[in-house]
Amino acid sequence: MRRLGALCIAVAVMTGPAHAGEPLRENMSAAGFPATLTVPVGEGAAPTVLVIAGSGPTDRDGNSILGIKAGYLALLADDLAAGGVATLRYDKRGVAGSKSAEREDEFTIDSFVDDAADVFDWLAARPDIGPIMVLGHSEGGMIALELAKRRPSIAGLVLVATPGRRLADTLRDQLAATSGPLRATALEILARLEAGDDVADVPVPLLALFRPSIQPYLRSLFALATASALAELPLPVLVIGGGADLQVSRADFDALSTARENVESRWFARMNHVLVDAGPDFAGNVATYAEPARALPNGLADVISGFVLRAANRP
């Protein structure tokens, strides 16, 4: 995987505020990644959160080619600004207009961690930025934990809907809950990948999940132990989970929340994976993934901004 070169800054494009009280939003290139810096109005060097989006080529708003169009990270940035917290969100590698994903078979989770490190360094070099926290959503939380090992200057971590168990165990649970003739084959392939093997004989219906070119990436994910990684980090950590999350379970939340002492946590009983309230109906839950601009759960931004402000003021 080719590392990014020197840090670069493009001329910022101002898109706000539209009226008094709205945050300032600056569109820019952060280390070569299209990004938006959202800053509270009337603040000095506000505490700033670097936001790392979830799985794969996901944009700064949290949307992806997989049909997610909820824009929940953009909404969260505005809500955090209202609480005195700035954010930087960036389009991950593989999003149109961002860095190329290059060859899929040469890509691992470290590729995304490298990118996040470049963006963090770019942000840290700005003189108008206060203490920097990192917020990771879903797989972005796994990236955030790896980034924190490399950048001890990170002032705190917020892990939202982040897997707390090994990802192979989560995927195994999801496969075990399905039915059909390919379930046993899928579980066998999973076990072989977890053991570090290459699997060339993947049935066509399973190629989307286990195609040979994605297997190096999957093996790199399976090697991560997020709860163990959190236990070794001394910095302040906030863990957030949701009871309507179809991807990340209460067991993941509990594993992270109890990984060490002094982990702050908050459980939102009705929040789903795209950070909106959802009922028990599966179809209705999934439908929210393509419903932009739905309000985030009451208290979510307050919990995060409160944590960030406390972490920023630690001696």
Side-chain angles (χ1 to χ4, degrees):
M1 183 67 193
R2 176 169 53 84
R3 287 281 281 121
L4 297 181
L7 303 181
C8 61
I9 301 177
V11 175
V13 177
M14 298 299 297
T15 61
H19 56 77
E22 274 203 7
L24 294 170
R25 303 180 192 91
E26 300 180 45
N27 293 330
M28 59 188 64
S29 173
F33 293 87
T36 299
L37 180 66
T38 304
V39 181
V41 171
E43 299 288 338
T48 303
V49 175
L50 171 61
V51 179
I52 305 176
S55 300
T58 305
D59 71 18
R60 72 194 88 173
D61 295 339
N63 301 326
S64 79
I65 59 174
L66 301 177
I68 299 177
K69 302 176 182 178
Y72 51 95
L73 294 181
L75 295 175
L76 181 61
D78 283 353
D79 287 354
L80 290 177
V85 173
T87 57
L88 181 77
R89 301 173 284 116
Y90 66 97
D91 292 346
K92 289 174 68 181
R93 183 174 291 270
V95 175
S98 187
K99 295 282 185 177
S100 169
E102 301 178 355
R103 288 185 54 175
E104 187 176 62
D105 60 354
E106 296 179 350
F107 211 66
T108 69
I109 190 65
D110 277 341
S111 307
F112 281 130
V113 180
D114 290 344
D115 293 344
D118 283 335
V119 177
F120 176 86
D121 291 343
W122 175 90
L123 184 61
R126 288 182 61 119
D128 57 339
I129 294 299
I132 302 175
M133 326 284 163
V134 178
L135 181 152
H137 173 256
S138 191
E139 183 185 273
M142 303 171 75
I143 296 168
L145 283 164
E146 295 301 301
L147 176 62
K149 296 178 184 178
R150 303 186 188 183
R151 298 294 185 271
S153 61
I154 291 173
L157 284 180
V158 182
L159 306 177
V160 182
T162 297
R165 300 173 297 156
R166 288 190 179 272
L167 202 60
D169 292 335
T170 300
L171 185 54
R172 186 176 292 107
D173 288 349
Q174 293 173 351
L175 290 171
T178 65
S179 60
L182 288 175
R183 180 175 65 175
T185 302
L187 290 170
E188 179 185 353
I189 293 173
L190 175 59
R192 291 170 63 186
L193 291 174
E194 191 177 12
D197 296 337
D198 291 321
V199 182
D201 52 336
V202 179
V204 171
L206 296 178
L207 284 175
L209 183 59
F210 294 126
R211 60 192 179 277
S213 61
I214 200 67
Q215 290 177 19
Y217 188 73
L218 291 175
R219 284 194 295 268
S220 74
L221 284 178
F222 295 163
L224 297 182
T226 51
S228 297
L230 190 160
E232 296 173 359
L233 294 172
L235 74 172
V237 177
L238 170 65
V239 175
I240 292 176
D245 195 327
L246 300 174
Q247 279 77 34
V248 178
S249 70
R250 178 72 193 224
D252 293 290
F253 172 84
D254 290 342
L256 292 174
S257 300
T258 60
R260 59 150 228 237
E261 294 182 351
N262 300 320
V263 172
E264 296 187 38
S265 62
R266 181 63 67 91
W267 181 255
F268 290 87
R270 290 177 53 85
M271 187 177 77
N272 71 1
H273 199 65
V274 295
L275 312 187
V276 300
D277 285 343
D281 174 61
F282 177 85
N285 191 326
V286 173
T288 67
Y289 287 47
E291 295 177 1
R294 284 187 54 146
L296 303 182
N298 287 334
L300 175 62
D302 291 339
V303 168
I304 296 173
S305 60
F307 168 82
V308 169
L309 294 172
R310 289 193 302 276
N313 291 320
R314 288 180 81 225

